[in-house]
Amino acid sequence: MARFTTTALVFTSYLGFVQIATVAGEIRKPEKNLPRALMGSVLLVMGLYITALFISTSTLSTQKLAELGETAMVDVARSLVGKYGALAILVAGLLATLSSANASILSSSRAVYALGYDEMLPESMSSVSERYGTPHYALLSVGIPIAALTLMGRIEILAEVASLLHLVMYGMICLCLITLRRRSPLWYAPGYRSPGVPYLPAAGAVASFGLIALMQPYSIIFGIAILGIAYLGFALLAEKKEFEKPQPAYLMPELRTPRILIPVSIPDPKPIPVPLLDAFRDLELLVMAYNIVPEQTAPEQSRDEFREKYCAELDQMVAEVREKGVNVKSEIVFTPNVAKSINRFVEVNNCHTVLTAKPILSVNRLLVPIYAADQVDRRLATVLHDLSASSELPVTIVVLTSGEREADDKADTGKLQQMAAAQLRRAGLAENQIRVNSADVSDVAAAVRQLSDDDDLVVLAESSTTDRDSFFNTLHEDIEEAVTCPVLAVLRNQKKEQ
């Protein structure tokens, strides 16, 4: 039991690790560098602590170390190196104390700055000094109290209170992680995903809250009082305040609630690939049932003759999708040119993607043909993220090449492969999900026919250099007719490009 109570007391010595996260806004590529900094610092400090304990227990007995108490390491250094070693340990201890206090002030001031920026504290707390470029009011608001508290006589109570507040925060972070993974709101798309969920964060929450029960009663009372004051301030200043939902840096929120167009031929339509729709939440599905009429035949004539019959067939086809709670809109089009009708339907309804109607029970791989650099962007990454994140499907990126290309073009192919893989990693896909290949096929329709299998989903991103009528014509006549798997075409927002 003494070990656990001591752990609760000295836990504040380990608080510097998480302080790295409070300055995430000042770090380049935080989704990559923050996990490295956190895990690297824990491993480094753990190694230093183990080394220090091994040397100290090898130099002096545990009973002697217990008698020496706080100055034990000074005597260990004196035994090994002499008086200069003892002096070095004293100076190192002083510097460590100052650096710890400086880190606490730095991280706390950034938290106060963020609260001021969100208008949960006075706006002055978010002001930045023109001369130094630092949040000076936030620094003073935490620096002065920290300096005053260090002058208190009961340092052990102060340390335990600091540990208690951080343990509450750590425990809540662990519980929030479990909740976010379970609910997975649309804005939740982290660049780094913690392993071992829910077991690892659950163990962290139990350990954090369990250590609180082993603290001194005065520390617990003092900590609860501080939490009560903080909640009172929240209730007065921010309880009714509405905050903007975070926007994922590498995903497009509008494509996480997409409008998906599925063109189906009538009569005898192919089934809608319902299993693919489960990957998207709050989607809007538009079914364009088309009947091809000869160019010399007026569409109105076919509409008057077959509309009632085809409407019944269309309603029966979309009934399964409606039963799953999907918002479905359907329309019948009589046209001599399917590609132009799809283009017109996409523009009128501002569709994000076009999905071909093919029967599929499950998907074992996402196949992504790439032939232009501008295909690799946030819209493609968003769709692949939502399709693969929950099931961890492998994503095979195939860069289309030609055997007659020059060396410079082949080097560009390698760069395109690296760029595509990096974009998907930033969007949150795991390293083992991403597979990058190349194919000596210059025609995208031929590549899809050659590379796809029955249990694939082909995800094809539209390029800005592609004529849209030609793109839909290739999708409808060449690709859809040649493959047995569904094809999801991710469209560009042409209004923003104009």
Side-chain angles (χ1 to χ4, degrees):
M1 182 62 68
R3 293 180 180 177
F4 291 109
T5 55
T6 303
T7 300
L9 173 63
V10 303
F11 186 79
T12 185
S13 302
Y14 297 85
L15 302 183
F17 300 121
V18 79
Q19 290 174 355
I20 299 171
T22 61
V23 293
E26 303 172 42
I27 297 177
R28 294 182 179 179
K29 298 182 179 180
E31 76 284 349
K32 178 187 297 184
N33 292 325
L34 265 182
R36 291 177 177 177
L38 287 166
M39 290 184 285
S41 60
V42 169
L43 294 175
L44 177 61
V45 172
M46 184 185 299
L48 292 174
Y49 278 12
I50 292 174
T51 302
L53 286 173
F54 175 77
I55 293 175
S56 60
T57 53
S58 300
T59 304
L60 300 176
S61 65
T62 53
Q63 183 178 0
K64 181 64 174 178
L65 291 172
E67 293 175 359
L68 294 171
E70 297 177 355
T71 62
M73 294 305 298
V74 177
D75 285 87
V76 170
R78 183 181 291 111
S79 301
L80 292 174
V81 188
K83 62 179 181 179
Y84 295 107
L87 179 61
I89 290 294
L90 286 172
V91 173
L94 177 61
L95 293 177
T97 302
L98 292 175
S99 65
S100 178
N102 181 63
S104 297
I105 294 173
L106 173 65
S107 61
S108 301
S109 66
R110 295 312 186 265
V112 171
Y113 169 84
L115 292 173
Y117 185 84
D118 288 335
E119 299 179 356
M120 296 176 67
L121 287 177
E123 188 177 356
S124 59
M125 293 299 174
S126 63
S127 62
V128 177
S129 171
E130 295 182 2
R131 181 177 180 181
Y132 299 106
T134 57
H136 48 297
Y137 290 121
L139 283 167
L140 291 174
S141 68
V142 298
I144 294 174
I146 288 176
L149 289 172
T150 55
L151 300 177
M152 292 176 56
R154 300 293 300 275
I155 298 298
E156 69 279 3
I157 293 180
L158 179 61
E160 277 199 349
V161 171
S163 297
L164 182 146
L165 297 176
H166 279 81
L167 285 168
V168 170
M169 181 175 66
Y170 293 168
M172 294 302 296
I173 288 174
C174 292
L175 295 179
C176 287
L177 175 58
I178 297 173
T179 303
L180 285 172
R181 285 288 188 90
R182 182 172 298 174
R183 296 182 180 178
S184 189
L186 291 175
W187 54 264
Y188 180 65
Y192 173 82
R193 297 177 69 85
S194 301
V197 177
Y199 307 106
L200 188 60
V206 170
S208 297
F209 294 132
L211 282 176
I212 294 176
L214 302 175
M215 293 182 173
Q216 298 181 47
Y218 290 112
S219 302
I220 297 176
I221 294 172
F222 195 8
I224 292 175
I226 294 176
L227 291 174
I229 294 172
Y231 178 77
L232 180 62
F234 170 79
L236 293 175
L237 298 174
E239 188 173 15
K240 296 182 180 180
K241 181 177 175 57
E242 295 184 2
F243 298 96
E244 294 184 2
K245 294 180 180 179
Q247 298 297 320
Y250 297 102
L251 299 181
M252 299 182 70
E254 61 268 25
L255 279 176
R256 308 204 71 194
T257 55
R259 279 184 295 279
I260 301 177
L261 170 63
I262 301 184
V264 294
S265 62
I266 276 188
D268 302 324
K270 295 183 176 63
I272 294 175
V274 177
L276 301 180
L277 304 180
D278 294 335
F280 303 100
R281 293 158 295 172
D282 300 327
L283 66 88
E284 183 179 350
L285 187 64
L286 299 99
V287 179
M288 188 195 81
Y290 62 88
N291 179 260
I292 301 177
V293 299
E295 291 188 1
Q296 64 271 20
T297 303
E300 293 79 7
Q301 180 181 347
S302 298
R303 185 181 300 111
D304 295 338
E305 184 177 355
F306 298 107
R307 183 175 181 82
E308 185 175 347
K309 174 185 176 182
Y310 290 165
C311 280
E313 192 172 352
L314 179 59
D315 291 340
Q316 183 179 359
M317 180 180 58
V318 301
E320 181 184 359
V321 183
R322 286 199 174 101
E323 289 177 359
K324 296 179 70 67
V326 179
N327 180 19
V328 185
K329 296 180 181 179
S330 57
E331 184 177 333
I332 298 177
V333 176
F334 296 86
T335 177
N337 191 316
V338 177
K340 287 187 176 181
S341 296
I342 294 175
N343 192 3
R344 184 165 55 251
F345 206 90
V346 165
E347 291 179 354
V348 171
N349 296 279
N350 192 24
C351 298
H352 301 114
T353 60
V354 176
L355 177 63
T356 61
K358 293 284 185 176
I360 191 168
L361 298 177
S362 62
V363 181
N364 291 336
R365 180 183 66 157
L366 303 178
L367 179 65
V368 187
I370 299 294
Y371 54 86
D374 64 353
Q375 291 179 281
V376 184
D377 58 9
R378 291 197 302 157
R379 61 201 170 91
L380 177 63
T382 302
V383 171
L384 293 176
H385 172 275
D386 285 347
L387 286 171
S388 64
S390 59
S391 55
E392 295 188 354
L393 282 172
V395 179
T396 300
I397 301 168
V398 181
V399 178
L400 307 185
T401 64
S402 173
E404 299 178 355
R405 286 193 175 189
E406 299 294 336
D408 290 344
D409 292 332
K410 293 182 179 180
D412 291 340
T413 298
K415 292 179 181 179
L416 189 54
Q417 290 175 331
Q418 296 175 5
M419 183 176 70
Q423 182 74 25
L424 297 188
R425 284 194 295 268
R426 287 194 294 266
L429 272 71
E431 189 72 41
N432 58 2
Q433 288 181 259
I434 304 171
R435 303 169 184 175
V436 181
N437 293 318
S438 61
D440 188 15
V441 183
S442 58
D443 179 68
V444 63
V448 172
R449 287 196 300 269
Q450 176 181 323
L451 301 171
S452 63
D453 293 325
D454 294 346
D455 55 0
D456 284 344
L457 171 64
V458 177
V459 183
L460 181 62
E462 181 186 14
S463 171
S464 61
T465 59
T466 305
D467 176 74
R468 181 159 278 186
D469 279 346
S470 175
F471 179 76
F472 287 139
N473 190 65
T474 301
L475 179 67
H476 169 65
E477 294 187 0
D478 298 334
I479 299 177
E480 183 179 4
E481 296 298 326
V483 300
T484 57
C485 63
V487 179
L488 181 65
V490 184
L491 307 179
R492 302 185 71 85
N493 190 332
Q494 293 189 336
K495 292 182 180 179
K496 291 184 177 180
E497 295 175 3
Q498 293 174 354

